[in-house]
Amino acid sequence: MDGSPLYPKRVSDTLTYDLTQGEVSEQRLYGETTEYLQSVYNKAKVLNQSAARLAMGVFQRRLASSTYALLRSFERRLEKLEAIIGDLISGKLPIEELLIRQRRLSEDDDVFESLTADDESMEEGLEQNQIAEERLLQAVVAASLADLEAEKEQVQHLLDLARQVNDLPASKFEKLREQIQTPQFAGEKLILFTEHRDTLQFLVRRLEGLGFTGQVAQIHGGMPYTEREA
């Protein structure tokens, strides 16, 4: 009533950072991943536009989250491709059945858009968004064995590059390190938010590497509610 503020003042800043450059760099990985998405999923639109849109979103979000999260998606994608190629070669999966499966892929909700972490259900320690992503990564976007082999080669190349880039300092994490080591934040408790569990694991490892071992707590939707509450 006397005009004094009810809440503490909040300051919201957007901190920018530059991607690493060079032969083995974040910039090259991001550029080649974008080309992969455009070439493979533009082709996929003919087979199942909604599944292609959602699957592209998986890679784009992980691309923005961390190199490690993107790397893990490429590992999972490669596993799916190798399994399907093996089934096609052995005759276990006829190409006609593969095409039918692609057209039957339902238009699932985008879990990140429709639910919060607390709303998501849990299954065997996995969050609902992780389960949805796994299903999307199983969705192949090829009309022939040759298409699958070509994508497998492309994904293997991107995975190799992602592993090399992941071994180098990450520009986004270096920006975070710079912030938490400033006098303003030294000794303060900080909360970091990320969409992906893989990025969470990456952050815990890197923060412990900075000397915060035993000082990092983590909460994710795959934990039982009582554990999260504790």
Side-chain angles (χ1 to χ4, degrees), residues 25-175:
S25 66
E26 293 169 337
Q27 186 67 64
R28 181 185 170 196
L29 176 62
Y30 284 24
E32 292 193 10
T33 298
T34 301
E35 291 176 7
Y36 161 72
L37 292 172
Q38 290 173 341
S39 64
V40 174
Y41 289 106
N42 280 338
K43 183 191 304 180
K45 288 179 182 178
V46 178
L47 299 169
N48 191 317
Q49 185 169 356
S50 62
R53 176 182 57 80
L54 289 172
M56 180 180 279
V58 169
F59 282 101
Q60 288 174 327
R61 274 197 293 251
R62 285 178 163 265
L63 182 68
S65 183
S66 69
T67 298
Y68 182 69
L70 181 64
L71 182 159
R72 292 291 291 133
S73 281
F74 283 138
E75 287 179 338
R76 292 168 187 140
R77 181 68 178 171
L78 189 61
E79 288 175 5
K80 306 301 181 189
L81 289 169
E82 288 175 340
I84 293 170
I85 289 171
D87 286 345
L88 285 172
I89 292 175
S90 68
K92 184 178 177 181
L93 175 66
I95 189 68
E96 294 79 14
E97 176 63 24
L98 177 64
L99 294 173
I100 290 171
R101 287 186 188 181
Q102 291 180 110
R103 295 189 179 97
R104 285 179 178 170
L105 285 170
S106 62
E107 185 169 358
D108 295 320
D109 283 337
D110 187 330
V111 177
F112 279 125
E113 296 283 344
S114 59
L115 298 173
T116 68
D118 284 333
D119 292 328
E120 291 186 34
S121 60
M122 183 181 68
E123 184 178 317
E124 297 182 357
L126 295 177
E127 298 170 52
Q128 201 169 336
N129 71 79
Q130 291 178 289
I131 296 169
E133 284 191 359
E134 283 295 308
R135 189 162 56 245
L136 283 168
L137 290 174
Q138 293 181 45
V140 298
V141 289
S144 68
L145 180 60
D147 284 347
L148 287 167
E149 293 280 9
E151 187 188 350
K152 175 188 169 184
E153 185 176 332
Q154 194 173 10
V155 171
Q156 182 65 68
H157 164 74
L158 289 168
L159 175 57
D160 292 342
L161 178 58
R163 284 172 173 161
Q164 293 178 68
V165 173
N166 189 60
D167 288 337
L168 302 174
S171 57
K172 184 188 284 190
F173 184 80
E174 287 302 301
K175 190 68 175 181

